[in-house]
Amino acid sequence: MTGDSNPMRFKPHHLIAAFLPLSLTGCAGTFGTLAWRTWNDHGTRVTEVRSVGFESRNLPGYRGISLGQRVTTYVNRLSNTDQGEASGWGYISLPNETPLFTQSITIGSDLAFEPSYIGMTLGVASRSCAALDLGQSSTLQIHTSSTSSGRFSFQQQP
């Protein structure tokens, strides 16, 4: 008998296909088996992404791949083109800028390249990171609770 006797055997092109999204630096977003919702809150654009299974992230400063369950909140500056509430599944395009704040909880495996962490975790991981421009005067207020979605407020003075 010729050929591969096990069609489910791992092949190198599977790994290439899995990491290909990380090389697409022109596309800022997150995709995989996920659902997302986004809303405006006091000068910020808040995006909550919930994934079960596979998630690939390609954002400035926040690149990675997760297998398992992950809940991530991205807080960006509100732009003039941002609409009101929206939701979807499968892919979310996010601003091509470093978020003001991120918060994530991962249950499973996570390979991450972020300002607060570079490496791989297995199990339960919780991380958060705020990134403000120190050359400008700005205020970011964050209120989170286990019983409700977070509230965010951002102001930047000239």
Side-chain angles (χ1 to χ4, degrees), residues 4-38:
D4 193 355
S5 62
N6 184 358
M8 298 301 289
R9 195 178 117 222
F10 174 79
K11 296 179 181 151
H13 67 273
H14 293 140
L15 187 61
I16 292 168
F19 284 96
L20 183 63
L22 293 178
S23 67
L24 303 174
T25 57
C27 302
T30 301
F31 80 91
T33 51
L34 54 91
W36 58 269
R37 66 184 181 114
T38 186

Side-chain angles (χ1 to χ4, degrees), residues 6-8 15 23 25 34 41 47-48 55-56 66 73 80 105 111 114 121 142 158:
N6 184 358
M8 298 301 289
L15 187 61
S23 67
T25 57
L34 54 91
D41 191 7
T47 305
E48 183 180 80
E55 176 186 303
S56 177
S66 299
T73 303
N80 295 335
I105 299 173
L111 175 64
E114 301 175 357
T121 58
I142 304 164

Side-chain angles (χ1 to χ4, degrees), residues 21-155:
L22 293 178
S23 67
L24 303 174
T25 57
C27 302
T30 301
F31 80 91
T33 51
L34 54 91
W36 58 269
R37 66 184 181 114
T38 186
W39 66 94
N40 300 341
D41 191 7
H42 297 91
T44 63
R45 179 74 169 167
V46 182
T47 305
E48 183 180 80
V49 179
R50 295 179 176 269
S51 66
V52 176
F54 173 76
E55 176 186 303
S56 177
R57 302 174 302 281
N58 188 30
L59 300 167
Y62 293 89
R63 290 179 170 76
I65 296 175
S66 299
L67 289 170
Q69 271 189 299
R70 182 176 169 95
V71 177
T72 310
T73 303
Y74 300 96
V75 179
N76 291 85
R77 289 177 178 85
L78 185 63
S79 73
N80 295 335
T81 59
D82 286 333
Q83 303 294 320
E85 277 199 40
S87 61
W89 62 273
Y91 175 77
I92 172 73
S93 177
L94 295 165
N96 196 13
E97 65 182 29
T98 302
L100 296 170
F101 176 76
T102 60
Q103 174 179 305
S104 66
I105 299 173
T106 306
I107 301 171
S109 175
D110 186 37
L111 175 64
F113 303 96
E114 301 175 357
S116 63
Y117 179 79
I118 296 175
M120 183 173 181
T121 58
L122 184 60
V124 178
S126 176
R127 290 190 295 274
S128 61
C129 182
L132 296 175
D133 183 1
L134 297 178
Q136 297 189 17
S137 177
S138 53
T139 304
L140 176 64
Q141 293 180 351
I142 304 164
H143 173 75
T144 59
S145 118
S146 60
T147 58
S148 66
S149 296
R151 291 191 316 260
F152 304 92
S153 174
F154 177 73
Q155 288 183 334

